[in-house]
Each structure stands twice: as C-alpha cells, then as structure tokens.
Amino acid sequence: MLNFSFYSPTKVIFGKGAELSAADEIRNFGGSRVMVVYGGGSVVRSGLLDRIGKELDQAGLPYLTLGGVRPNPRVKLAREGVQKAYDFGADFILGVGGGSVIDTAKAIAIGAANFGTDIWRFWLKELVPQKALPVGAVLTIPAAGSETSNSAVLTNEDTQAKRGLNIALNRPRFALMNPELSYTLPDFQVICGVVDIMMHTLDRYFTTTEGNELTDGIAEALLRDVIRNGAVAVRDHHNYAAMSELMWCGSLSHNGLTGLGRVNDFSVHQLGHELSGHFDVTHGASLSTMWGPWAQNVYAAKPERFAHYAKAVWDVETGSAEESAKAGIERTVNYFRSIGAPTSFSELGIGVRDDKTLQELTDSCTFRGKRTIGQFKMLDAGDIHSIYKLANH
Ligand code: NZQ
Ligand code: ZN
C-alpha cells in the first residue's frame, strides 16, 4: 500500500426530504447571502427550486438564482456567475442539480473569491487558487460524484478543451441526497450515470500497485452493487432502493475511497473528455464508448489484474489469466450494451470518423504532444490513436 492522505470533509445528509436541510446547513457553514445555481430547467419543472427558495426565504437568507447550466458546463456561464455572485456579495454558492451544476457552482466559488482573475487560468493550471467560497450541493442525479469530489470539470467553448481542476478547495461543505429527486430523470441519464459511477472506480482499479486488499475489496463490492442495482434502476428509476444504492455508490466512487494507497490511472476519463469536448456527448456515454477499446489495448500489460477483476466482479474464471481477462472485458462491454450504453462511435451518435479527426482527438488528448496518459500502461500518442481507432465503427 502506498502512502496516502484522505480528506473527504463533505457532510452528507441522505434520504427522503434531505433537501429541506438546505437553509440550516448553509447557516451552519457560515453562509448569509446565497447564489443558487441550477441547470436547464428540470428543477424548475419538478418544483425543487421553488421548495429550496421557500426554505431560504423562511430562514431569512437573501439569495440570487443563476440557471442555464448545460451538460459539459461552459466556462462562459461560470464567468457570468462569478460577476453576479460578486455584485450580489454572495458568501455561499448552492448547486441544485447534477455534476454540471455543482461543477459550475465550484467554479463560481473560486472565481468570486479570486475576483479579477479569469477562472480558466486555474483550469489551465497557470495559477493555483488559494481560496474559494463555500459550496453546498442538492443532488438530483446519481452519476458524476461532484457532490463529494475534489474535482470540477469545465469546457472552454472557444478551444473545445474540457479540463478538470482537482483541489481540496473543491470539496463541497455538504451534500443533500434524496434519491426521490432522481425519479424525474430521462432514461438515458440514468444509464450514463451508472456508467460514470462504475468508471470512477474502474479508472482507479487498474493499477500496477500491488497489494491493497481493503481498497480492492471496497472497489469490487461497489462495482457489484452498481452493476446489480444499475440494471434495476434502468428498468425502473422510481425504485427507491435501487436509486438509493446508486446515489450512495456515486458519492463513494469518486470521493477518493476506492483508489486509496495506489496510483490512479484515469485514462478512460481523459479519452472520453476529448469526445465530450469535441462533440458535446454525454460524459457517461463517452466513457462506455472508450472503456472496451482501452481495455483491449492495455490488458496484456498485466492480464492477472484483469483476471482478478473478472473473478471478483463478474465471477468469471476460465483457463489462463489471459482468457479470464478477455472474458471480464467482454462481460463489462456486454453489460454496457445490456443497459443501453454506447460502446462505439456510431452507437454514441457521432458516426464513423476520418483519420484526421482521430488525429485531432489524439493531439488534444496529449495536450499537443506534451503529455502521456495512464499508469496501468502508459499511453503515448500512438496508443491513444489506436484506441480511438478501435472505437471508430
Ligand atoms: O439541466 P437540467 O434541466 O437540470 O437537466 C439535466 C441535464 O440535462 C438532467 N437532470 C439532472 N437531474 C435531473 C435531470 N433531469 C430530470 N430530473 C432530474 N432529477 O440530466 C442532464 C445531465 O446533467 P449533468 O449535471 O450534466 O449530469 P452529471 O451529473 O452526469 O454531470 C456530468 C458532468 O460532470 C462532469 C462531467 O464531465 C460532465 O461535465 N464530471 C464531474 C466530476 C466531478 N466534478 O467530480 C467527475 C466526473 O468524472 C465528470 O467528469
Ligand atoms: Zn466521470
């Protein structure tokens, strides 16, 4: 087990009616003027935004709303939010929605506390923010895990670059998680959420670090739980038990727990971010498209690890480590298909692309030749191009 530090300070309030704690928790964490951030309207239609507004009114907390956050959230709206939060004198940012909304709330919180500095400079890693306003989250979709993560992912619409900023300041102070709030989700978002939750653990699981039995055991139990309950939730997303499992798995899958004591890989996320940056596809769908091609490219670096995964997660063990590894990969890709998640460019809806596009995705993924990705197997431009090629059908 490698040395690690684990800092997951988010207070979680989980279950029916959790959202009703918003005003109390904002006060607990020192907020007195609140900016409420939301997305394209689902929380207006469901009445959730109204309920939260009433809570804040009753608690005597002045607030301002900022809607219109789109999936793959854009830096432009976050910049507007920074100006508005600053003008209003907000001292607390509340995100009501999914990963895109919560990430925008995190970006506004950093921008407002560092007013005068363009926030994208933090995402380009030119500067490291030293302060941020506190953020709280009311979660409406089990998926990205932003409600407990140290990450915020933004897209720059001018350059098509999608970039994450991972810093402790990004951890929300609290997350209010009522699985009933996810009942209004479209089927496709439930599917993409299941994939993203699996991927936050899978991208930490395939590692060359030996040992780590507890981290492995937690990761494997979480994967089995998501796989089982994901299949139920996709058929019936009014199933409280299944949605509860998914929502809690979503938070634990991305708060760092399932990758402790080992080097993390995250190649599939980097490969997927290029697809979302260039084609604006849903995050989880980009991941199910890239996982199979990635696994095919890398498993031979250490087939025993994939064989271990096949046995622990899918209860598959056939002949050699290589055969078991292949069987585990096949089971995973078949699972994605069975829940309706795409596994190729054409299933993703972006069609079969020419080689120039594959080269552009590769260049962008390597930051124009400045980096490799991955740890399980280090991937250079040649590998990345081959992986995109495997997905291109
Ligand atoms: O915008 P509204 O109208 O609210 O609709 C949203 C949106 O269209 C809808 N939705 C959410 N909750 C709903 C609902 N519709 C009906 N009823 C509900 N209860 O779902 C759509 C997708 O929302 P989004 O917030 O984009 O989903 P998700 O939580 O999957 O977040 C994806 C974003 O998070 C980033 C992704 O890259 C992507 O930009 N990620 C953030 C991470 C983090 N901060 O830790 C880690 C992840 O790996 C990921 O990269
Ligand atoms: Zn993700």
Side-chain angles (χ1 to χ4, degrees):
M1 194 182 293
L2 300 181
N3 293 358
F4 65 85
S5 96
F6 182 53
Y7 176 69
S8 182
T10 306
K11 176 175 180 180
V12 172
I13 299 185
F14 192 98
K16 296 180 183 179
E19 69 278 15
L20 300 177
S21 302
D24 284 350
E25 292 306 327
I26 289 169
R27 276 216 194 284
N28 282 346
F29 286 98
S32 62
R33 293 180 72 77
V34 186
M35 177 178 249
V36 179
V37 182
Y38 64 97
S42 72
V43 300
V44 177
R45 292 188 293 279
S46 69
L48 174 62
L49 191 67
D50 217 32
R51 291 208 300 284
I52 303 251
K54 285 196 179 113
E55 291 293 318
L56 300 182
D57 282 336
Q58 276 168 18
L61 284 169
Y63 68 94
L64 167 80
T65 56
L66 175 78
V69 175
R70 290 166 52 183
N72 300 322
R74 310 305 200 266
V75 68
K76 186 160 176 273
L77 184 73
R79 286 185 181 125
E80 283 170 34
V82 169
Q83 184 67 51
K84 287 189 172 144
Y86 184 80
D87 292 344
F88 180 68
D91 59 12
F92 198 97
I93 314 291
L94 181 71
V96 183
S100 298
V101 164
I102 300 167
D103 286 0
T104 302
K106 292 176 179 180
I108 294 171
I110 289 174
N114 297 277
F115 193 72
T117 303
D118 179 32
I119 48 173
W120 190 243
R121 298 189 66 193
F122 297 122
W123 268 256
L124 285 178
K125 318 283 163 31
E126 290 174 9
L127 298 169
V128 179
Q130 304 298 329
K131 53 189 175 182
L133 297 183
V135 171
V138 180
L139 186 66
T140 62
I141 167 172
S146 181
E147 67 281 3
T148 55
S149 82
N150 67 349
S151 178
V153 186
L154 291 182
T155 296
N156 186 320
E157 51 275 68
D158 296 331
T159 61
Q160 295 182 317
K162 184 171 181 182
R163 299 282 179 264
L165 175 66
N166 298 357
I167 50 171
L169 276 178
N170 269 335
R171 302 266 184 189
R173 296 296 204 277
F174 64 79
L176 309 182
M177 295 168 45
N178 175 356
E180 285 181 327
L181 298 181
S182 62
Y183 286 179
T184 49
L185 278 169
D187 294 350
F188 191 61
Q189 292 298 335
V190 178
I191 294 165
C192 290
V194 169
V195 174
D196 197 17
I197 296 169
M198 285 175 68
M199 212 59 69
H200 290 151
T201 288
L202 287 173
D203 258 351
R204 290 174 165 97
Y205 186 87
F206 290 99
T207 171
T208 52
T209 315
E210 298 286 345
N212 251 327
E213 287 174 34
L214 179 60
T215 299
D216 269 1
I218 293 170
E220 288 153 4
L222 187 143
L223 285 166
R224 290 192 300 266
D225 198 61
V226 179
I227 289 163
R228 195 169 51 246
N229 287 287
V232 176
V234 164
R235 285 195 306 273
D236 171 17
H237 42 273
H238 288 233
N239 184 314
Y240 186 81
M243 278 303 188
S244 304
E245 298 288 337
L246 284 189
M247 205 171 241
W248 188 220
C249 283
S251 294
L252 293 187
S253 194
H254 203 37
N255 75 348
L257 186 64
T258 60
L260 293 181
R262 58 168 61 132
V263 182
N264 293 178
D265 185 284
F266 272 95
S267 303
V268 180
H269 267 74
Q270 307 308 330
L271 294 163
H273 281 344
E274 296 309 325
L275 299 181
S276 290
H278 285 75
F279 305 109
D280 201 16
V281 294
T282 305
H283 175 60
S286 78
L287 302 176
S288 56
T289 299
M290 294 316 306
W291 192 85
W294 168 82
Q296 278 183 57
N297 182 285
V298 306
Y299 81 89
K302 200 176 173 193
E304 300 74 21
R305 183 64 179 161
F306 273 86
H308 183 89
Y309 161 74
K311 171 81 182 123
V313 175
W314 296 104
D315 200 18
V316 173
E317 202 175 15
T318 56
S320 67
E322 169 124 4
E323 281 164 352
S324 290
K326 282 185 181 162
I329 294 169
E330 196 183 340
R331 288 291 291 269
T332 311
V333 173
N334 284 345
Y335 177 76
F336 292 151
R337 286 205 189 99
S338 76
I339 61 170
T343 57
S344 66
F345 280 8
S346 42
E347 286 173 18
L348 182 63
I350 62 172
V352 177
R353 313 299 302 199
D354 59 17
D355 195 61
K356 192 163 160 271
T357 309
L358 302 191
Q359 201 53 57
E360 167 50 25
L361 291 168
T362 303
D363 283 353
S364 182
C365 192
T366 60
F367 293 179
R368 315 279 157 207
K370 288 203 197 80
R371 69 162 183 175
T372 55
I373 62 169
Q375 188 273 339
F376 183 77
K377 175 184 165 193
M378 195 188 71
L379 304 174
D380 61 14
D383 293 305
I384 294 170
H385 186 265
S386 315
I387 293 171
Y388 281 127
K389 218 167 163 179
L390 280 174
N392 191 30
H393 57 90

